[in-house]
Amino acid sequence: FGSSSARSLEAASIPTRNLLLRSITMVARLTYRRQCRYNTKSNKQRILKTPGGKLTYQAVQKTSKGPACGDCKKALIGLSRLRPKEYRRLKNREKRVSRAYGGSRCAQCVRSRIVRAFLIEEQKCVKQVLAEKLSQAKEQSGGSKKKGKK
């Protein structure tokens, strides 16, 4: 007789416990405030509590990858990470760095380009000097000997 009353108390406590858990985890349903009704990349929302205590959706803008170097694809230092539309509002000094290839290439790539161009020019000069030495050597050796027909 006593055991049946204990069972009835346990049976009564299980639904109340489930009801408590359900009431704690319940969240207010929210509807999109704009035209797009789907959870796409361009329609991301965050939940915001208004001063009145209601929960609403706030549209979140996409985060930008920011400008990257054209050669090594690393992010460029000193330039703001904005969406392409927002770059139109910036002044020119905010869009680039005051250096050759400023808003396009990183400092390391510019340095390597300059060194490469210098070494190519040096190699051209060395080739020219060697060609002059060879031509002088041919003139000196060729002037003493006569060339015969074969």
Side-chain angles (χ1 to χ4, degrees):
F1 187 72
S3 63
S4 65
S5 64
R7 281 188 201 137
S8 64
L9 284 174
E10 285 178 22
S13 66
I14 290 173
T16 55
R17 192 180 314 141
N18 287 344
L19 187 66
L20 283 173
L21 288 174
R22 215 177 289 143
S23 65
I24 290 170
T25 58
M26 193 177 288
V27 180
R29 288 193 176 205
L30 299 173
T31 56
Y32 287 117
R33 297 167 69 190
R34 293 188 179 174
Q35 298 290 320
C36 183
R37 296 180 293 187
Y38 303 104
N39 185 22
T40 59
K41 281 198 299 183
S42 62
N43 195 28
K44 292 297 178 196
Q45 310 288 326
R46 66 186 267 248
I47 297 173
L48 187 79
K49 196 172 228 178
T50 61
K54 285 186 2 180
L55 295 176
T56 60
Y57 270 145
Q58 184 183 41
V60 177
Q61 286 186 334
K62 283 185 181 180
T63 54
S64 144
K65 283 179 73 174
C69 174
D71 292 344
C72 63
K73 309 297 184 220
K74 289 182 185 172
L76 291 177
I77 299 171
L79 299 176
S80 52
R81 289 177 48 169
L82 301 173
R83 296 299 294 164
K85 199 173 184 180
E86 293 168 343
Y87 275 114
R88 289 189 307 185
R89 295 188 218 129
L90 292 182
K91 296 173 182 153
N92 277 342
R93 65 179 175 78
E94 295 168 334
K95 288 183 208 172
R96 61 179 62 100
V97 183
S98 57
R99 180 179 61 235
Y101 297 100
S104 166
R105 304 286 189 268
C106 66
Q108 291 84 5
C109 292
V110 172
R111 184 185 297 137
S112 67
R113 278 180 178 223
I114 292 170
V115 169
R116 190 183 309 128
F118 174 74
L119 290 175
I120 288 170
E121 287 297 317
E122 283 292 309
Q123 199 166 8
K124 285 180 185 174
C125 292
V126 168
K127 275 186 182 178
Q128 188 177 0
V129 168
L130 288 174
E132 287 175 5
K133 281 186 180 178
L134 281 174
S135 64
Q136 285 177 357
K138 280 185 181 178
E139 286 176 10
Q140 290 174 358
S141 65
S144 60
K145 293 181 180 178
K146 289 187 177 179
K147 290 187 178 178
K149 290 185 180 180
K150 287 186 178 178

